[in-house]
């Protein structure tokens, strides 16, 4: 039999590896992840925007409905639109806003921050500044500075979206900037977190052939809350013709798979991009666009992306509808299989702990977004969270 020194030797050899793996891969948090991020140009954001979005989309559904889901799902969607029409809102100072005179952008930064501080807000909120590329770098920094000066302490769920990241040095600079802003405004360390938008091929594959996105996560030093894929910028950068750019292009699938692999187990969440097919026009046009959006949201969910961009409030009905249908259709199987796992029984399916974790995560996501009611999931939430 081995003596104790053999155990001690192997422990000593692998302890640094254990520590690195724990630090790098803490696992998926059990906290709520929004099912979408809605971008609104800064000049259109104000204190009553959520109520106005609710009014607009409910009116649209009434005029052009029904939505392409079951009656049960449609009823849930209408309730959601009336009570919480937006889960995650991003005040946009980048492409949706454009380049404006400095005094105009300063004014909008102050006005939107004041409206956010004093008005209703969704569970998750933040702003997208311009990139840290040379031509707009100073403007990006100044907008963040002016915004935080007017905002005061950021609300829970606040995040900054950093677009067009191509090099880890840009993320390292963002870490420094967040630290300086925290010092300036008396915020606790690590208060400011940011999402990295992946919109360039260089953010996927570096000049040395390595996966840049892994280095981006490392460079963020724990401040990276998510990776958001920019569908159309990425496609354009590859030279794909505009007609064929979109969420289903093989190039987009490859990039998003790399994002998933890089973020797996790190606690950094991945968001799919948007579709530029907007439900506007007559009933036929609106319904056709709803069908496209619902299909793309469903496809994204099936591939393991539980969050995506929306670029118009008109996409909210099908965002929630497709999401609710996905979770409700899968809830029975997940509940039965997880019940058997917890009872250590098998009925033709032998699930392992990793699959049990996935099923618990599935049910938690369904509860978080309102697709499932607590009485439809026969497990205490604490049990799901512990798994």
């Amino acid at each position: 039999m081995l003596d104790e020194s053999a155990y001690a030797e192997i422990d000593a050899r692998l302890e640094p590896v254990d520590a690195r793996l724990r630090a790098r891969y803490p696992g998926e948090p059990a906290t709520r992840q929004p099912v979408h991020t809605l971008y609104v140009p800064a000049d259109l954001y104000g204190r009553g925007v959520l109520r106005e979005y609710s009014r607009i989309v409910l009116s649209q559904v009434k005029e052009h409905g029904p939505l392409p889901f079951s009656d049960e799902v449609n009823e849930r969607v209408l309730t959601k639109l009336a009570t919480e029409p937006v889960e995650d809102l991003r005040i946009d100072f980048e492409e949706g806003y454009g380049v404006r005179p400095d005094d105009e952008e300063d004014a909008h930064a102050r006005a939107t921050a004041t409206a956010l501080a004093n008005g209703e807000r969704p569970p998750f909120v933040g702003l997208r500044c311009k990139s840290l590329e040379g031509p707009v770098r100073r403007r990006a920094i100044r907008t963040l500075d002016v915004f935080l000066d007017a905002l005061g302490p950021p609300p829970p769920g606040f995040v900054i979206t950093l677009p067009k990241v191509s090099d880890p040095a840009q993320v390292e600079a963002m870490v420094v900037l967040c630290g300086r802003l925290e010092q300036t405004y008396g915020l606790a360390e690590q208060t400011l977190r940011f999402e990295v938008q992946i919109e360039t091929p260089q953010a996927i594959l570096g000049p040395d052939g390595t996966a840049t996105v892994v280095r981006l996560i490392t460079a963020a030093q724990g401040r990276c809350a998510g990776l958001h894929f920019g569908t159309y910028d990425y496609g354009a950068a590859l030279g794909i013709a505009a007609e064929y750019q979109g969420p289903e292009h093989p190039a987009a699938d490859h990039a998003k798979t790399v994002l998933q692999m890089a973020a797996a187990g790190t606690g950094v969440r991945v968001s799919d991009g948007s579709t530029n097919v907007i439900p506007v026009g007559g009933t036929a046009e609106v319904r056709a666009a709803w069908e496209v959006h619902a299909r793309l949201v469903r496809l994204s969910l099936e591939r393991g992306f539980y969050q995506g961009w929306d670029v118009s409030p008109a996409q909210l009905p099908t965002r929630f509808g497709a999401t609710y249908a996905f979770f409700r259709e899968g809830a029975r199987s997940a509940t039965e299989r997880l019940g058997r796992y917890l009872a250590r029984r098998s009925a033709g399916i032998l699930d392992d702990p990793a699959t049990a974790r996935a099923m618990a995560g599935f049910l938690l996501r369904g509860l978080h977004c309102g697709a499932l009611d607590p009485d439809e999931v026969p497990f205490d939430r604490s049990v799901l969270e512990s798994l």
Side-chain angles (χ1 to χ4, degrees):
M1 299 290 289
L2 291 174
D3 61 29
E4 186 61 31
S5 65
Y7 294 92
E9 179 183 357
I10 300 303
D11 281 341
R13 283 177 175 271
L14 294 181
E15 185 177 351
V17 177
D18 295 340
R20 287 199 300 271
L21 290 175
R22 285 194 301 270
R24 178 73 185 190
Y25 302 106
E28 173 69 20
T31 54
R32 178 182 180 183
Q33 179 182 8
V35 302
H36 76 133
T37 301
L38 177 67
Y39 285 79
V40 54
D43 57 319
L44 300 181
Y45 177 78
R47 290 179 61 178
V49 69
L50 296 182
R51 290 190 298 275
E52 181 65 9
Y53 283 169
S54 176
R55 184 193 66 78
I56 289 172
V57 294
L58 286 171
S59 175
Q60 185 185 44
V61 172
K62 182 178 180 180
E63 180 179 359
H64 300 298
L67 295 168
F69 311 106
S70 68
D71 291 343
E72 179 186 43
V73 168
N74 288 341
E75 184 177 346
R76 284 179 178 269
V77 171
L78 293 176
T79 300
K80 178 76 167 181
L81 295 174
T83 57
E84 190 182 75
V86 179
E87 289 197 356
D88 186 20
L89 186 141
R90 204 66 76 246
I91 303 167
D92 191 14
F93 288 91
E94 205 229 355
E95 287 184 346
Y97 179 77
V99 177
R100 311 207 181 191
D102 282 340
D103 58 348
E104 184 175 352
E105 185 157 338
D106 283 351
H108 283 139
R110 292 192 183 94
T112 54
T114 301
L116 179 61
N118 298 317
E120 61 175 338
R121 53 180 176 263
F124 302 88
V125 70
L127 80 156
R128 178 168 69 171
C129 59
K130 292 177 170 63
S131 75
L132 292 182
E133 295 176 336
V136 293
R137 183 181 302 140
R138 292 185 66 86
R139 183 62 260 179
I141 296 171
R142 179 167 176 80
T143 295
L144 291 174
D145 192 13
V146 173
F147 188 93
L148 289 171
D149 181 52
L151 178 66
F158 180 82
V159 68
I160 300 165
T161 304
L162 180 65
K164 294 181 174 59
V165 175
S166 300
D167 192 281
Q170 294 167 322
V171 175
E172 292 169 355
M174 187 65 177
V175 170
V176 173
L177 176 59
C178 287
R180 292 290 295 271
L181 289 168
E182 287 168 349
Q183 293 172 6
T184 299
Y185 295 107
L187 303 175
E189 189 175 343
Q190 296 283 329
T191 295
L192 297 178
R193 304 189 72 206
F194 56 88
E195 303 158 335
V196 175
Q197 279 202 289
I198 306 298
E199 303 175 84
T200 67
Q202 294 79 16
I204 297 294
L205 186 67
D208 59 354
T210 60
T212 311
V213 67
V214 176
R215 298 172 60 203
L216 300 179
I217 294 173
T218 302
Q221 299 179 37
R223 291 186 186 266
C224 182
L227 303 172
H228 284 223
F229 184 62
T231 304
Y232 297 96
D233 286 82
Y234 188 83
L238 291 178
I240 298 168
E243 183 179 355
Y244 301 102
Q245 295 171 17
E248 296 177 284
H249 194 282
D253 284 337
H254 168 262
K256 289 184 287 187
T257 300
V258 173
L259 297 187
Q260 279 182 310
M261 291 190 295
T266 65
V268 175
R269 285 163 162 169
V270 181
S271 174
D272 202 350
S274 61
T275 174
N276 58 6
V277 180
I278 308 301
V280 294
T283 296
E285 290 82 5
V286 169
R287 287 183 177 178
W290 275 343
E291 290 279 359
V292 169
H293 188 240
R295 179 177 60 79
L296 292 174
V297 171
R298 176 65 182 234
L299 180 64
S300 184
L301 289 164
E302 290 176 355
R303 293 179 177 176
F305 297 93
Y306 297 103
Q307 182 177 356
W309 296 14
D310 291 321
V311 295
S312 166
Q315 294 175 322
L316 296 175
T318 39
R319 169 65 63 183
F320 295 125
T323 301
Y324 287 2
F326 173 77
F327 283 108
R328 293 194 67 76
E329 290 168 16
R332 180 176 179 179
S333 173
T335 298
E336 291 178 351
R337 290 174 63 181
L338 186 58
R340 289 196 297 267
Y341 172 84
L342 293 174
R344 298 299 189 269
R345 295 197 306 270
S346 175
I349 300 175
L350 183 60
D351 289 315
D352 58 22
T355 303
R357 288 197 296 272
M359 290 185 292
F362 178 92
L363 294 172
L364 272 175
R365 290 180 184 278
L367 289 167
H368 285 156
C369 72
L372 304 174
D373 295 329
D375 60 5
E376 294 179 302
V377 179
F379 311 108
D380 289 339
R381 188 168 297 204
S382 61
V383 172
L384 299 177
E385 292 171 350
S386 68
L387 284 170

